[in-house]
Amino acid sequence: MRNKGLIIALTLIVSLLCAYFFTFTFISRRVQANAVTYATHNGTVDQQQRQHYLDSVWRAPVANILGVDYTYRDVRASELGLGLDLKGGMHVTLEVSPVEIVRAMAGNSKDANFNKALTQAQELQKTNPSTPFTALFAQAYRTVAPNDKLARLFANTTNKSRGIDINSTNEKVIGAIDKEVEEAIDRSFNILRTRVDKFGVNQPSIQRVKGTGRLQIELPGVDNPDRVRKLLQGQAKLEFWEVWRTDEFAPYFNQLNSVLSAKEEADKLQGTAAAPAAKKDTTATAATAATGDSTSLASQLAKKNAAKNVAKADSANPQQSSLLARLFTMPGALGSNVRDTARVNSLFKTQEVRAVLPPNLTFLWDVKPTTIEGQEYLQLYAIRKSSAATPPLAGDVVADARQDYDQNGRPEVSMQMSPNGAHKWQKLTAANIGRQVAIVLDDYVYSAPVVQSEIAGGNSSISGNFTIEEAQDLANVLKAGKLPAPTRIVEEAVVGPSLGQEAINQGLYSSVAGLIIIMVFMAIYYGRAGLVADAALLFNMFLILGVLAQFGTALTLPGIAGMVLTFGMSVDANVLIFERIREELNHGHGLKDAINAGYKRAFSAIFDSNVTTMLIAVILGFFGTGPVQNFAITLGIGVLTSFLSAVYISHLIIEWLTKGKDTSKITFSTFLSRNLFQNVNFDIVGKRKIAYAFSTVVIVVGFVLMAIQGGPNLGVDFRGGRSYLVEFSKSEAASDVKEALNDDFKGAGTEVKTFGAANRLRITTGYLAEDESTAGDQKVLAALTTGLKQYGADNPKVLSTSKVGATIADDIKKTSILSLGLTLLGIFVYVLLRFEKWQYSMAAVVALFHDALLVIAAFPIARALGLNYEMDQVFVAAVLTVIGFSMNDTVVIYDRIREYLRENPNLTFAQVVNPALNSTFSRTMITFTTVFLVVLVLYIFGGETLRSFSFAMLVGIVFGTYSSLFIATPLILDTYGRKEARERGTSNTPSVASADAPKLSTAVK
């Protein structure tokens, strides 16, 4: 075995990394178990106390690995997380609405043609959801005012910096609007990222969807969807506030300290709040600092020993303490350890604190923490509010803001006010020379520059120790108040925690069952070599989970499906190798020579099949979203780890077992399999015309039934609409519930079907599908509630909801078709490069397209038989995976044909095709059996969420195996084989084993 040392070193490194990241998962589970113990009283878990415990250790060290301390936040960032379908929570796709951006750039013009064009563009967007709104607006304006120029509307003072003047062409104006829309998306991303980070859930995720104006957000564990919707769709609130100096608010803190200290002493005397000694010492330290000269409060509180005492006290006792015990100062400013901000906030709201602090004094946190001696702290700003609580200046007065450079080349922010804002800004700066003015967005302070002088004219420069990125972020914050860019939810899914736990159980059962079936089968069929394959399979599972943890990828139910499928497909490599070894042994070669030859000869087929599967995983990962993308990531990782474990790790183990002269430690068959599939002699290619006819009939029947049924049974992913999973206290007839909802849904397309259990129904409706607003969501939910009133005695409960807007549905259709097309094109090119004849590529692609059509046709046939499965995004993943599976089979056969032709150059394609098919028949059937059994387990135990996926896979595995034998290779015979026969003057009739059949060489080279 070549490069053995390198392979061993690589395996050790990867294994240690996986074990290292797995450690974080176990630590996280331990901390969560401690939180449950802490919050359990009389057998009941207080969820608020549990979360309080987790918050208290969020930024505190909870583990030490190799001498490095890790906080709970570090641990959660590196553990193997669970997706929403396994944990519960909310998934939202937001789209930044460009309508208000166009309106604002035109100065809210009242021009009739402008407003008519906007209205028409909005109507066009409903029927052309994937076309950019700006393009539709330009088209509508050309229709409404064909002789008018957009520059007349958009050439204003605000747009001058964007290069728009009265002579600008329509194309230039639209280009400037497109750029502003793109910047608005960036601003929305930054604003929402801050909101999501402050929302208080573990492992939140926000990312831009490639090539669109959409933002995808996942919030695991949230239990208040209405609050999330308000949080995500609320307008950005940009304000400018005056800031109190330390010497101005310090006297109030001295008074506050006396009040709080007296209250604590009273509590101790009453025995209601006994505090540990460490906390008492800390409070005393803070109190001593606060009773000094009020003008030097900041410098006194900044003593490092006080900060360290606070940190020690926090780790010793997570219980709430006094306000001053948790405050210290950074140079010249008040602040707190990040993990204590929630408790500081709660203390600021208490009656005692509110009674001491003046009504025009409020405190706001900095948006970004500062790290001091390994601890993160947030600065606290004392904001001077007016009696009406309205800011001196709001964000709507900002005309423009951009990142710039000062005279020394340092990054700064240039800001331009509107005429009205310039006047207010001049008045505000004149009154605050030498003082800070806080720039506040959504109640978080992004910057608080010191006013150097009165600023007239509305043009200002904000300087500081900025990086370029920080200056760009601040410019985006300032612009957030200038152009409102409202967002709308175009896709949404809410999964309840109970449903998540059910999904965990289903995924666990299916994974374990699939793994056991494969391992038992391999041990029974290949004996001790099968046990080696089992060891490699377990190692492969360890690697998949470890790599998922390393990359911070959450494990979802489709991800588990991808992993279970990988278990079955990863065995294929060992099957190929072991079958090759058995062939060599049957030809009289020694064990060690047979092993070396088996690994060598199987490598090209394994490599080709892995490349084609990886190609599918890459395409799915690039174009897919949500569950499809997670499936693709898991499948892609599984392909790589399977190649390492099956080809190299198993080889190392077998080499170790066959060291020396004793070769009895390894066997490649058992008494059950020793003579199975030996001397197989089928005229497979001779039955190709029957196969062509059979496939044609099945496809035609399927598509005719689909037409009779009113078209394909598309899921909400493809057609848009809303879906609700409703659980009743007893079983209900789906047809009766549909009838009850018909009037309330105004006769819109509605589907009701049993989902997993007799008392659980999935209700999908197209009612108000075109209305993607929150108000539309509420109307549909209200209609559902009204329709289910007659079942009130059965306590209907909504377990999960999902919504897909028309825009998303249209994009999913297009990307699904594109994914299929690119997959077939990629396979065509790869097969052409590897086998050097276009007939091989053509036959492979036709066979794969045939497989896809058969899977699609199977759905209406199943529907006619009473099995009602939807075609959704996960269905597309199943079709592409079937293509990958079928291609694996086809590549193995192609590889054997190529080998026979190279070793027997005098033979024709027609002479080697049947021998090649028969010699790979055992591998084909073993791989088919293992994968089919695994997917069957997934179909039985994987739950309703994956029922459509596993059904498509079952059909695809059967027909994929069938097409590899009866479609793909025979098509080459009917094209290339016919041409070769004419050129050589030989018969194109395929050979079968007989006394006169050609003898194929299998000598080791």
Side-chain angles (χ1 to χ4, degrees):
M1 182 178 178
R2 294 180 181 178
N3 303 317
K4 186 187 297 184
L6 177 63
I7 292 168
I8 293 174
L10 177 64
T11 302
L12 287 174
I13 291 171
V14 173
S15 300
L16 288 173
L17 283 173
C18 290
Y20 171 75
F21 280 95
F22 263 134
T23 303
F24 292 109
T25 302
F26 294 128
I27 293 171
S28 176
R29 301 294 185 270
R30 174 173 56 80
V31 173
Q32 292 176 52
N34 291 342
V36 171
T37 302
Y38 170 81
T40 302
H41 306 286
N42 299 323
T44 304
V45 179
D46 186 326
Q47 293 299 330
Q48 188 173 0
Q49 285 193 9
R50 174 183 167 277
Q51 190 59 48
H52 173 74
Y53 180 93
L54 295 176
D55 289 341
S56 70
V57 298
W58 183 243
R59 296 176 187 272
V62 294
N64 184 287
I65 303 176
L66 302 176
V68 179
D69 286 331
Y70 291 91
T71 66
Y72 184 50
R73 183 182 67 169
D74 299 329
V75 169
R76 290 306 302 265
S78 301
E79 72 166 333
L80 178 62
L82 298 178
L84 298 185
D85 52 359
L86 296 179
K87 187 176 183 179
M90 190 171 184
H91 164 94
V92 174
T93 299
L94 291 165
E95 190 168 67
V96 178
S97 175
V99 179
E100 296 303 323
I101 297 176
V102 174
R103 196 185 300 278
M105 286 186 70
N108 290 312
S109 173
K110 305 299 183 185
D111 183 87
N113 287 337
F114 169 74
N115 285 288
K116 187 176 180 181
L118 270 182
T119 303
Q120 284 191 12
Q122 288 173 280
E123 290 300 317
L124 287 170
Q125 185 89 78
K126 294 177 181 179
T127 54
N128 301 276
S130 59
T131 305
F133 178 80
T134 49
L136 296 175
F137 168 70
Q139 174 187 333
Y141 195 78
R142 283 195 301 269
T143 304
V144 172
N147 300 319
D148 200 2
K149 293 179 64 176
L150 287 170
R152 180 179 64 82
L153 301 168
F154 291 89
N156 51 44
T157 305
T158 303
N159 293 331
K160 188 175 182 181
S161 61
R162 300 186 180 94
I164 299 178
D165 56 37
I166 196 64
N167 297 315
S168 296
T169 63
N170 286 357
E171 289 74 17
K172 187 173 183 179
V173 172
I174 293 298
I177 297 174
D178 282 334
K179 184 178 180 182
E180 188 60 36
V181 170
E182 185 68 19
E183 291 178 357
I185 296 168
D186 286 335
R187 293 198 298 276
S188 298
F189 177 81
N190 291 329
I191 293 165
L192 290 173
R193 180 173 56 187
T194 302
R195 292 181 181 179
V196 166
D197 288 342
K198 306 296 181 184
F199 195 74
V201 299
N202 292 329
Q203 292 183 311
S205 169
I206 177 170
Q207 58 184 346
R208 284 196 60 174
V209 181
K210 299 179 291 289
T212 70
R214 300 192 195 111
L215 305 172
Q216 202 171 75
I217 299 170
E218 288 194 352
L219 299 171
V222 297
D223 54 4
N224 191 339
D226 288 336
R227 182 187 169 204
V228 174
R229 294 184 189 104
K230 291 176 183 177
L231 172 87
L232 297 180
Q233 295 188 109
Q235 288 282 41
K237 184 177 66 173
L238 178 66
E239 301 168 328
F240 296 83
W241 290 100
E242 296 176 285
V243 180
W244 290 66
R245 289 199 306 265
T246 305
D247 62 309
E248 294 174 330
F249 68 77
Y252 297 108
F253 267 69
N254 294 333
Q255 182 183 352
L256 186 60
N257 181 73
S258 301
V259 172
L260 292 176
S261 297
K263 184 178 184 299
E264 287 179 358
E265 290 298 324
D267 288 341
K268 289 176 185 177
L269 291 174
Q270 294 174 10
T272 58
K279 183 60 68 179
K280 180 178 178 181
D281 294 342
T282 305
T283 305
T285 304
T288 303
T291 55
D293 180 11
S294 64
T295 60
S296 59
L297 174 65
S299 60
Q300 291 186 44
L301 288 178
K303 291 179 181 179
K304 292 182 180 179
N305 62 340
K308 289 179 180 178
N309 286 337
V310 172
K312 289 178 182 177
D314 290 340
S315 60
N317 179 18
Q319 300 298 319
Q320 180 172 293
S321 67
S322 71
L323 172 64
L324 293 181
R326 296 198 173 276
L327 293 178
F328 87 110
T329 56
M330 296 176 288
L334 203 65
S336 170
N337 194 301
V338 171
R339 66 173 177 265
D340 295 325
T341 55
R343 277 167 280 182
V344 172
N345 287 339
S346 63
L347 277 168
F348 273 135
K349 295 176 183 178
T350 60
Q351 185 177 351
E352 293 85 358
V353 174
R354 292 202 305 268
V356 172
L357 298 180
N360 64 338
L361 171 61
T362 189
F363 289 93
L364 296 179
W365 296 104
D366 194 352
V367 73
K368 291 182 180 178
T370 300
T371 302
I372 300 176
E373 295 185 352
Q375 295 282 323
E376 287 189 335
Y377 298 92
L378 276 177
Q379 189 169 335
L380 196 62
Y381 291 87
I383 302 299
R384 187 187 301 275
K385 288 207 169 183
S386 64
S387 57
T390 55
L393 209 63
D396 58 350
V397 303
V398 179
D400 195 16
R402 65 184 184 279
Q403 182 264 316
D404 209 340
Y405 297 93
D406 64 14
Q407 57 187 4
N408 297 317
R410 293 173 301 191
E412 67 173 14
V413 177
S414 296
M415 179 174 63
Q416 179 185 350
M417 299 282 189
S418 65
N420 181 46
H423 175 70
K424 293 181 179 180
W425 184 237
Q426 181 177 357
K427 184 178 177 181
L428 180 63
T429 53
N432 287 277
I433 296 174
R435 300 172 65 98
Q436 289 177 288
V437 173
I439 301 171
V440 180
L441 180 68
D442 289 339
D443 291 329
Y444 286 95
V445 179
Y446 278 72
S447 182
V450 176
V451 178
Q452 302 297 331
S453 61
E454 178 182 338
I455 302 173
N459 292 321
S460 311
S461 295
I462 303 173
S463 58
N465 190 23
F466 293 133
T467 63
I468 293 177
E469 290 78 13
E470 288 171 340
Q472 289 172 341
D473 288 346
L474 181 55
N476 276 334
V477 166
L478 292 168
K479 291 175 73 174
K482 178 199 54 158
L483 284 178
T487 57
R488 59 194 178 103
I489 295 177
V490 294
E491 183 183 22
E492 174 187 301
V494 180
V495 180
S498 60
L499 201 60
Q501 185 59 49
E502 182 179 305
I504 291 176
N505 296 335
Q506 291 169 342
L508 182 63
Y509 294 153
S510 60
S511 299
V512 172
L515 190 64
I516 291 174
I517 286 174
I518 292 174
M519 293 178 67
V520 170
F521 179 86
M522 292 298 288
I524 291 175
Y525 197 90
Y526 289 111
R528 293 178 182 175
L531 296 177
V532 172
D534 291 344
L537 184 60
L538 290 173
F539 182 68
N540 183 35
M541 182 179 67
F542 166 74
L543 289 182
I544 292 174
L545 294 175
V547 173
L548 283 173
Q550 288 180 53
F551 286 98
T553 304
L555 185 62
T556 66
L557 202 54
I560 290 178
M563 190 166 64
V564 172
L565 185 62
T566 301
F567 294 163
M569 297 181 70
S570 66
V571 173
D572 183 46
N574 283 125
V575 171
L576 275 168
I577 294 165
F578 294 165
E579 287 301 304
R580 280 290 197 171
I581 293 172
R582 284 170 49 148
E583 285 179 20
E584 300 300 324
L585 290 172
N586 289 338
H587 285 91
H589 295 280
L591 180 62
K592 291 185 179 181
D593 288 339
I595 290 171
N596 290 331
Y599 275 94
K600 180 180 178 182
R601 285 173 164 266
F603 184 85
S604 62
I606 295 171
F607 180 82
D608 287 335
S609 61
N610 276 267
V611 168
T612 52
T613 306
M614 179 58 75
L615 177 67
I616 291 170
V618 169
I619 290 173
L620 278 174
F622 188 81
F623 290 104
T625 58
V628 173
Q629 195 171 57
N630 194 272
F631 170 80
I633 291 171
T634 309
L635 183 63
I637 292 172
V639 170
L640 295 175
T641 57
S642 297
F643 192 77
L644 173 65
S645 60
V647 175
Y648 295 108
I649 303 303
S650 68
H651 199 173
L652 286 173
I653 296 173
I654 288 176
E655 273 199 355
W656 175 71
L657 290 173
T658 55
K659 271 186 177 181
K661 295 182 179 180
D662 183 12
T663 59
S664 62
K665 294 179 180 179
I666 190 74
T667 58
F668 291 92
S669 61
T670 65
F671 73 94
L672 293 173
S673 62
R674 190 163 295 118
N675 297 315
L676 198 62
F677 299 120
Q678 293 294 315
N679 303 315
V680 173
N681 179 26
F682 298 134
D683 183 12
I684 297 173
V685 179
K687 306 296 187 296
R688 63 189 184 279
K689 292 182 180 178
I690 298 174
Y692 296 164
F694 171 75
S695 295
T696 302
V697 169
V698 174
I699 292 171
V700 170
V701 168
F703 279 84
V704 168
L705 284 174
M706 187 186 297
I708 294 172
Q709 294 164 358
N713 186 21
L714 298 178
V716 70
D717 293 356
F718 286 140
R719 62 184 178 185
R722 294 169 177 85
S723 182
Y724 305 88
L725 186 58
V726 182
E727 187 174 68
F728 300 82
S729 57
K730 67 175 187 178
S731 60
E732 301 290 350
S735 57
D736 293 343
V737 174
K738 180 178 180 179
E739 183 73 23
L741 292 170
N742 191 52
D743 291 340
D744 297 282
F745 285 151
K746 311 298 182 186
T750 301
E751 183 179 83
V752 181
K753 65 178 183 178
T754 304
F755 193 88
N759 66 326
R760 189 178 292 172
L761 299 178
R762 183 174 181 179
I763 301 169
T764 304
T765 179
Y767 176 52
L768 297 181
E770 70 285 351
D771 185 354
E772 299 170 356
S773 66
T774 304
D777 297 340
Q778 293 170 348
K779 287 180 182 177
V780 179
L781 183 58
L784 175 69
T785 305
T786 303
L788 294 177
K789 274 186 178 179
Q790 66 186 73
Y791 296 98
D794 299 331
N795 191 28
K797 180 181 178 182
V798 177
L799 298 180
S800 70
T801 66
S802 63
K803 177 183 80 172
V804 177
T807 309
I808 289 281
D810 187 66
D811 283 356
I812 291 173
K813 289 178 190 174
K814 290 182 178 179
T815 54
S816 298
I817 295 171
L818 183 61
S819 298
L820 180 60
L822 286 176
T823 299
L824 295 177
L825 177 61
I827 289 174
F828 182 92
V829 172
Y830 183 77
V831 172
L832 180 62
L833 292 174
R834 290 291 289 166
F835 294 93
E836 301 175 349
K837 291 180 176 62
W838 67 265
Q839 290 91 344
Y840 282 75
S841 296
M842 178 276 301
V845 169
V846 169
L848 297 179
F849 189 64
H850 154 276
D851 297 341
L853 290 178
L854 279 172
V855 172
I856 294 170
F859 273 65
I861 293 174
R863 191 176 181 183
L865 297 175
L867 298 174
N868 196 3
Y869 300 120
E870 291 182 349
M871 298 180 185
D872 52 16
Q873 281 192 84
V874 180
F875 164 80
V876 175
V879 171
L880 293 181
T881 307
V882 165
I883 287 175
F885 171 83
S886 179
M887 193 62 222
N888 287 354
D889 264 355
T890 303
V891 162
V892 170
I893 296 169
Y894 282 8
D895 186 76
R896 186 62 64 95
I897 292 172
R898 177 176 57 186
E899 177 186 326
Y900 280 178
L901 289 174
R902 284 177 178 175
E903 295 176 351
N904 303 274
N906 294 325
L907 298 181
T908 64
F909 184 90
Q911 291 171 312
V912 303
V913 60
N914 261 325
L917 288 168
N918 282 296
S919 63
T920 58
F921 189 78
S922 59
R923 174 263 162 203
T924 299
M925 296 313 299
I926 295 168
T927 300
F928 163 77
T929 302
T930 54
V931 178
F932 184 85
L933 289 175
V934 167
V935 178
L936 183 62
V937 168
L938 196 65
Y939 180 80
I940 296 171
F941 296 108
E944 284 296 330
T945 305
L946 292 176
R947 197 79 74 197
S948 171
F949 171 87
S950 49
F951 175 75
M953 284 297 305
L954 285 173
V955 174
I957 289 165
V958 172
F959 284 112
T961 303
Y962 153 81
S963 71
S964 297
L965 295 170
F966 293 98
I967 305 295
T969 310
L971 281 175
I972 304 176
L973 179 67
D974 288 333
T975 53
Y976 173 73
R978 195 180 301 276
K979 174 187 172 186
E980 183 187 45
R982 285 197 304 268
E983 291 174 351
R984 292 197 183 190
T986 59
S987 171
N988 192 43
T989 303
S991 298
V992 292
S994 67
D996 301 324
K999 301 299 184 291
L1000 302 178
S1001 170
T1002 55
V1004 178
K1005 293 189 176 181

